Amino acid sequence: MNAHRPLIGVTLDSEQPSADGQPGYSRFPWYAIRQNYMDMIAECGGLPVALAHDPDLATALVARLDGLVVTGGAFDVPPDLYGAMDQHATVQTKPRRTLAETALVHAALARGIPVLGICGGMQLLGVLLGGTLVQHIPDTYPAALPHEQPNPRNQPGHDVAIVAGTRLARLVGQDRLPVNSAHHQAVADAGRGVICATAPDGVVEAIELPDHPFCIGVQWHPEFGISTGDRLLFEGLIDAARQTGT
């Protein structure tokens, strides 16, 4: 492995304080991230660093990064960001997090560093590329698979078909991958991006930006390393980030 470890920024989730007398991590607002995001980046040769939710710092942060990972979470992109007039009853937002991640993605794309969007991070990436979202999959895909899978997240929930000729296809070297699934929304229109993977029910599972050195969004959670393709995706991110940092 190349001794150079590129610096990979990883976005955090945010949680509200626990009420007095109730169990919880803290009685003050706190950040959160699953350990396997950081572990996977480190195992693949990167140096992961957590990013605070301050849009005013986004340009300065990205100036020091070699790559960016926009993580998932149990919340949704505000519908007004993609021109939706109505908000589905299931939609829950975290405006401060979205504002910070939006600024980070814009700065990363402008600087040309690698970007990987995961689950909700893919949805935000799709919106920032000019696309739109399906606000609740069962309403648009009546015969949809259980995209919020009932089995544990460290097990596959369904397969995805990889579009031939895409960067994602070249990275994973396969036309199908088993993936986990934990989402009720999906990309409807990828805007300037292109669709590079779909589920058997037609739900968009991955997008990429062809004219960028590395800009991919996946709807599943590759940090769990369910398939060899998951690790290859992170290795591709790290390899591209090494080029940024040279």
Side-chain angles (χ1 to χ4, degrees):
M1 179 180 292
N2 191 316
H4 171 60
R5 283 183 172 266
L7 189 65
I8 308 298
V10 185
T11 66
L12 299 167
D13 203 357
S14 62
E15 296 294 341
Q16 294 302 307
S18 58
D20 289 344
Q22 298 297 313
Y25 179 78
S26 176
R27 286 183 293 173
F28 300 92
W30 49 284
Y31 288 125
I33 190 166
R34 236 185 305 102
Q35 184 176 326
N36 57 359
Y37 280 110
M38 302 303 213
D39 288 349
M40 179 63 86
I41 291 169
E43 289 169 9
C44 291
L47 188 64
V49 59
L51 304 176
H53 294 173
D54 188 338
D56 292 336
L57 296 179
T59 300
L61 285 169
V62 168
R64 299 192 182 191
L65 298 177
D66 301 312
L68 174 67
V69 174
V70 185
T71 63
F75 74 106
D76 305 302
V77 177
D80 63 332
L81 287 187
Y82 49 94
M85 301 300 294
D86 300 314
Q87 179 169 305
H88 195 275
T90 60
V91 169
Q92 301 182 49
T93 62
K94 292 185 176 180
R96 185 169 179 263
R97 174 177 174 176
T98 297
L99 190 64
E101 289 183 328
T102 295
L104 287 165
V105 171
H106 280 315
L109 293 177
R111 185 163 171 252
I113 67 171
V115 178
L116 174 60
I118 295 175
C119 198
M122 166 184 155
Q123 294 166 11
L124 179 62
L125 181 60
V127 169
L128 298 182
L129 293 178
T132 58
L133 301 181
V134 173
Q135 289 197 39
H136 192 57
I137 290 171
D139 289 358
T140 302
Y141 297 86
L145 297 167
H147 286 273
E148 294 184 283
Q149 68 185 55
N151 56 313
R153 297 294 187 258
N154 62 349
Q155 299 174 5
H158 61 79
D159 285 358
V160 299
I162 310 296
V163 177
T166 60
R167 178 185 292 272
L168 180 62
R170 293 192 296 273
L171 278 174
V172 303
Q174 301 176 60
D175 59 7
R176 300 190 72 82
L177 285 179
V179 301
N180 53 9
S181 192
H183 61 108
H184 80 107
Q185 296 199 330
V187 166
D189 169 22
R192 293 188 290 122
V194 298
I195 295 168
C196 51
T198 57
D201 57 8
V203 169
V204 175
E205 290 283 339
I207 61 173
E208 59 186 51
L209 185 59
D211 58 353
H212 191 277
F214 185 107
C215 181
I216 296 176
V218 297
Q219 191 59 73
W220 64 93
H221 282 272
E223 69 276 11
F224 281 94
I226 287 174
S227 74
T228 57
D230 286 346
R231 187 179 181 93
L232 288 168
L233 181 59
F234 274 97
E235 289 179 350
L237 170 76
I238 302 304
D239 286 344
R242 282 198 184 98
Q243 300 304 313
T244 300
T246 55

